Amino acid sequence: MSTALLWSTQYIATILVGLAVSLRILHKERRVWANNLLTIYSILISAWSLSVFIHRTTPYLEISEFFFRAGAISLFLAQSIYLCMAFSIRSPKKRYLLATLPSFVASILYLGYGEFRFTYTSFGWSYNLAGDLLSQIARGVTNEAYNLAILLTLYLLYRGATNPLLKRKLSILLFTYLIFQFIGFSVTNLLLVLGGDVPPFGGILHIGTFIAMGYALTLKPRLTPPYLPPADFSGRYSRFLNRLLEALPGEALGQRYVLFTQFVKETDIEPYVRYVGDQPIFAESLPPTIVSTIEKTLDYLYEHKLVSLLDSYLPVINAAYTKLSTHEAHKLDEVLLKRVEFLTAGDIFYGIDGGRLMQKIEVDKSLNNVSDTEAALRIYKRILLATFSDFIDVLGSELLNRLLLYDVLKDIDADVDGHISISKCLEKHKQDPPMKIITIFNSFLSSAISQAADTAPRVANVILGKVNRILELNWRRATKLGIITTFRTDFADLISEPLTLPLLNEPVTAETFKASTLILGQPLEENAGQAILLEFTTASHLQMVLRRLAIEALAKGYETAVFTRRGSAVEEKLKPLDVQFIYLTLTRRSETEASKAYISMKDPSEVLAALTELNLSSKSLVILDNLTDFILTIGFDKAYTFLRHLVEIAAETEATILLGLNIEAHSKQEVAALESLANLTVNLETKIKTLER
């Protein structure tokens, strides 16, 4: 192997080392802008290394000159990208890329107007400067300006760092750049320009740079903070700070430590934070500005979309409540209630001060757009959060041991502080059917509440009251998932007070779920895909039956739609319920008055189209309160054809369709024809006495 080729292998090694370091860092945190800039820097250095390798080893002068110029551009740009990377450690703003413009302009000027003299040495092709000094001066000034800017930026970051680990990282980066890039390249370039037959060291200098950078970027925190009692406010805050630090992006280049310092300053806790080893400790039992601090911390978590850290902050909030005066606690209530949407999005609202604030909201819609499995897990997480302190009072640390005995529950991250996180559990069980989650949680809760009832009946009643309240606030998802139905069954022996769903004047009891069996002869679920004729002679009987069936459907999670006249008695009866009304009219509405809730009953095709838009399924209940109106308005023949379509729609979608028919308004032949078409006919007059008992 020739001497030129042997010395030039350092550039191939530079490519391998540089890409290995940068890609490893990028693989861990791809979304961190500084890591992407580090990768771009290593790619540009790799391009320079490959160009220099070809420039030095090729036997042809023209090829050598071309790759020399290409490599020079890559090196100039790499230097400016390094400066952008240093800027991004403090603030990841893409406008810092404008700092590359001077290097690009200088490289064009340097290569476009500069003259070079190439000579072949024992180490391959080399060069020295010749001709116009303007381009040489421009290149030299730009190069030194970038070097000084990089060194100054790293130094200022080092001066401003409070975290010991960040200081170590920055000191290594600072001295690495000073020794290898600033001093090392200045010396080697000077030797080359002077024209001596000297070996190249550029690749070796970059290898040293990347190795030192790799060491700095992979440094981990050392030492562990001393143990702090879980119930202690400073201990809980310290654990939150460490979890926050771990969650912030940019571990490698130290961006997370800069962000953490900014957080400490923004939330006014800087006087109370010190470091033991590399980890932050909150060294104050309760700062006088704690309410303001909690407010600013929640705003910070919201602005930076760190909803997952709310789980870690809940123990801090609860610890604060134990030490605040009544006046300060009231102020904290106001702060939290103003942020109820954010707190319910993270579920911790249910665990604040033992769930006390649950009584101050009417409904929670934060689970509306999540998957069924996630909704089930989060409903039970909310139950655990609200009842955790009560269970701890009765069961102590045994509660945590019990969680480990159940599948799914053993993957919940929980500790005695009241910190409960289902992130890992959700990731592992996101494909599990919701009923599996429900069955396991109900088994756990039934066992735990039963033991609590044996030793502390009052506490058990408090727990059940909180569970009821959580199901009330989340009743729509809870009913759709079947949680309320199974809850009534699994806890039948424990429940003393029935659950009341929002907007219902009557409680949900075992009788609620038997309405369909009493009226239709079988549970509502078994009537899926059927069009059912409800024959009546007394309108109030129909209204009562429809209300009972609608309440059962809502309690079981059905989507319920009612086709009726505006102002009808059925509308008044069902109006308090969460059902969708589609109003049947005799005249078409003008465009300014029209609404999607109004359709013409003179055109059955419009009714059928409205049914199609409802996206019916086996969990859909459709009520057409007065088929008699249809028959008298459009004629029996058209109404009969319309009913045939309804029967087909019910069969295709598996929806349950209820049709009210006043049998006194029709001939026996018409009634018989309609009965033969419907899947099921129920004479309400024979059922009403059973329902009124």
Side-chain angles (χ1 to χ4, degrees):
M1 181 182 293
S2 67
T3 303
L5 186 60
L6 180 63
W7 276 91
S8 296
T9 54
Q10 62 182 286
Y11 299 106
I12 303 300
T14 300
I15 296 173
L16 298 176
V17 174
L19 291 177
V21 170
S22 62
L23 292 178
R24 179 187 177 189
I25 300 302
L26 184 66
H27 177 71
K28 290 183 177 180
E29 292 183 292
R30 296 184 181 182
R31 295 184 178 181
V32 176
W33 179 236
N35 292 352
N36 285 274
L37 291 175
L38 173 62
T39 303
I40 294 173
Y41 172 76
S42 70
I43 290 173
L44 289 171
I45 293 299
S46 297
W48 169 81
S49 299
L50 182 61
S51 297
V52 173
F53 177 81
I54 298 174
H55 151 68
R56 282 194 165 272
T57 58
T58 182
Y60 305 105
L61 175 61
E62 295 80 3
I63 296 177
S64 176
E65 182 176 358
F66 173 80
F67 278 98
F68 167 79
R69 293 178 182 275
I73 294 176
S74 298
L75 188 60
F76 291 162
L77 291 176
Q79 190 179 35
S80 61
I81 289 294
Y82 193 104
L83 178 60
C84 295
M85 182 184 71
F87 286 157
S88 296
I89 294 175
R90 181 174 183 81
S91 179
K93 297 176 181 177
K94 295 184 179 180
R95 67 167 180 260
Y96 289 146
L97 288 174
L98 294 174
T100 62
L101 291 179
S103 68
F104 184 76
V105 173
S107 64
I108 296 298
L109 181 64
Y110 178 57
L111 298 175
Y113 297 96
E115 296 182 15
F116 306 93
R117 183 181 299 111
F118 293 91
T119 56
Y120 196 83
T121 70
S122 57
F123 302 100
W125 289 100
S126 185
Y127 78 98
N128 51 40
L129 301 175
D132 183 25
L133 290 177
L134 178 61
S135 62
Q136 299 173 25
I137 294 173
R139 188 266 180 189
V141 170
T142 304
N143 178 64
E144 295 309 317
Y146 273 113
N147 281 333
L148 292 175
I150 291 170
L151 291 172
L152 181 61
T153 301
L154 292 175
Y155 174 72
L156 292 176
L157 286 171
Y158 174 81
R159 280 282 304 272
T162 56
N163 183 279
L165 178 58
L166 178 59
K167 277 187 171 293
R168 292 201 303 277
K169 286 176 177 283
L170 290 172
S171 64
I172 294 172
L173 293 178
L174 176 61
F175 284 106
T176 295
Y177 194 88
L178 176 65
I179 295 170
F180 291 110
Q181 300 295 310
F182 185 66
I183 298 176
F185 264 92
S186 297
V187 172
T188 56
N189 285 337
L190 180 62
L191 293 175
L192 289 174
V193 169
L194 293 177
D197 188 10
V198 295
F201 291 99
I204 295 173
L205 292 174
H206 276 299
I207 291 173
T209 299
F210 280 120
I211 290 176
M213 286 179 67
Y215 172 72
L217 302 186
T218 54
L219 283 176
K220 299 294 182 182
R222 61 190 182 190
L223 299 181
T224 302
Y227 174 77
L228 294 168
D232 183 79
F233 181 84
S234 60
R236 293 187 177 192
Y237 220 116
S238 297
R239 273 176 277 279
F240 164 71
L241 291 178
N242 280 278
R243 286 176 176 138
L244 169 65
L245 185 58
E246 292 173 2
L248 292 173
E251 177 187 13
L253 283 161
Q255 184 184 1
R256 69 163 45 162
Y257 304 102
V258 176
L259 292 173
F260 182 79
T261 301
Q262 293 172 355
F263 163 79
V264 168
K265 292 179 179 178
E266 289 178 18
T267 55
D268 300 330
I269 61 172
E270 190 174 15
Y272 316 117
V273 175
R274 60 184 177 85
Y275 287 89
V276 174
D278 293 327
Q279 295 179 290
I281 296 297
F282 194 83
E284 178 67 30
S285 59
L286 188 72
T289 59
I290 186 58
V291 174
S292 173
T293 296
I294 290 175
E295 181 176 17
K296 291 178 179 179
T297 300
L298 292 176
D299 289 342
Y300 181 91
L301 297 179
Y302 175 77
E303 291 169 6
H304 292 78
K305 300 179 181 179
L306 295 171
V307 65
S308 61
L309 283 174
L310 287 175
D311 293 331
S312 302
Y313 203 58
L314 176 61
V316 174
I317 296 174
N318 286 335
Y321 268 113
T322 63
K323 297 193 174 187
L324 291 175
S325 65
T326 303
H327 175 68
E328 289 293 308
H330 180 68
K331 288 175 60 178
L332 182 54
D333 284 353
E334 293 178 349
V335 167
L336 298 175
L337 288 170
K338 286 180 181 178
R339 293 158 180 80
V340 64
E341 288 188 13
F342 179 53
L343 297 176
T344 53
D347 303 317
I348 71 160
F349 185 80
Y350 292 85
I352 295 173
D353 202 18
R356 178 174 55 84
L357 296 184
M358 289 191 296
Q359 307 301 326
K360 297 182 180 292
I361 61 173
E362 296 298 326
V363 69
D364 181 358
K365 298 181 180 180
S366 59
L367 299 180
N368 284 0
N369 298 315
V370 303
S371 69
D372 287 346
T373 298
E374 181 179 348
L377 275 171
R378 289 179 60 184
I379 286 173
Y380 283 105
K381 175 190 174 183
R382 294 171 178 196
I383 291 174
L384 287 177
L385 286 170
T387 60
F388 188 83
S389 59
D390 303 304
F391 277 124
I392 287 293
D393 288 342
V394 177
L395 303 178
S397 59
E398 183 188 342
L399 175 67
L400 300 179
N401 295 330
R402 284 197 178 195
L403 288 173
L404 299 176
L405 300 177
Y406 292 82
D407 185 25
V408 180
L409 277 64
K410 64 184 179 182
D411 298 310
I412 294 175
D413 181 16
D415 60 31
V416 291
D417 287 1
H419 166 263
I420 298 174
S421 173
I422 61 169
S423 299
K424 295 178 182 177
C425 180
L426 179 59
E427 181 63 27
K428 184 175 180 179
H429 299 281
K430 60 184 177 183
Q431 301 299 330
D432 288 358
M435 191 50 64
K436 174 184 176 181
I437 307 294
I438 294 168
T439 302
I440 292 173
F441 263 102
N442 279 359
S443 176
F444 164 76
L445 288 174
S446 178
S447 172
I449 295 174
S450 294
Q451 183 172 344
D454 291 339
T455 57
R458 186 189 64 80
V459 175
N461 286 333
V462 170
I463 291 172
L464 286 169
K466 291 180 179 181
V467 173
N468 267 3
R469 181 57 180 159
I470 292 167
L471 294 180
E472 288 173 6
L473 292 174
N474 298 273
W475 76 275
R476 175 165 287 280
R477 290 311 298 268
T479 51
K480 282 187 177 181
L481 293 168
I483 292 177
I484 290 180
T485 307
T486 56
F487 181 80
R488 299 298 314 180
T489 303
D490 295 342
F491 294 79
D493 296 334
L494 298 172
I495 297 174
S496 58
E497 295 185 6
L499 174 70
T500 301
L501 295 183
L503 303 179
L504 296 184
N505 293 324
E506 58 187 77
V508 176
T509 65
E511 298 302 318
T512 302
F513 300 101
K514 294 179 181 179
S516 58
T517 302
L518 293 174
I519 298 167
L520 307 178
Q522 57 187 4
L524 192 59
E525 299 87 338
E526 296 182 20
N527 288 286
Q530 296 196 50
I532 302 171
L533 208 59
L534 301 178
E535 297 179 346
F536 67 94
T537 56
T538 305
S540 61
H541 293 168
L542 175 68
Q543 296 157 21
M544 182 180 69
V545 165
L546 291 179
R547 177 178 170 81
R548 291 286 298 274
L549 291 174
I551 290 174
E552 179 183 351
L554 291 173
K556 290 181 174 180
Y558 278 64
E559 294 286 350
T560 303
V562 180
F563 289 77
T564 186
R565 289 179 292 103
R566 188 66 186 266
S568 69
V570 169
E571 181 195 7
E572 293 301 315
K573 199 74 171 176
L574 302 185
K575 202 168 187 178
L577 308 183
D578 186 25
V579 300
Q580 179 182 356
F581 287 100
I582 297 96
Y583 297 110
L584 303 173
T585 65
L586 292 175
T587 57
R588 294 184 181 276
R589 302 265 169 160
S590 65
E591 289 188 7
T592 56
E593 186 186 5
S595 167
K596 291 182 179 179
Y598 291 91
I599 57 176
S600 173
M601 66 186 302
K602 289 184 176 181
D603 187 355
S605 64
E606 289 192 19
V607 181
L608 296 175
L611 282 169
T612 303
E613 292 178 1
L614 292 175
N615 296 319
L616 301 177
S617 69
S618 60
K619 298 289 282 186
S620 298
L621 177 67
V622 177
I623 297 173
L624 183 63
D625 71 329
N626 205 332
L627 184 59
T628 297
D629 260 0
F630 259 91
I631 296 172
L632 298 179
T633 301
I634 64 176
F636 181 80
D637 291 340
K638 287 185 178 180
Y640 184 84
T641 303
F642 170 70
L643 182 56
R644 287 188 60 182
H645 285 300
L646 287 184
V647 173
E648 292 173 359
I649 289 174
E652 291 173 0
T653 62
E654 296 189 345
T656 303
I657 300 178
L658 304 178
L659 303 138
L661 180 70
N662 186 342
I663 55 176
E664 291 185 339
H666 306 283
S667 67
K668 291 183 179 180
Q669 292 81 1
E670 289 178 341
V671 172
L674 296 174
E675 288 177 348
S676 65
L677 194 56
N679 301 112
L680 176 67
T681 300
V682 178
N683 189 312
L684 299 186
E685 306 309 319
T686 63
K687 301 283 186 178
I688 201 66
K689 291 183 180 179
T690 304
L691 293 174
E692 289 178 339
R693 289 176 185 171

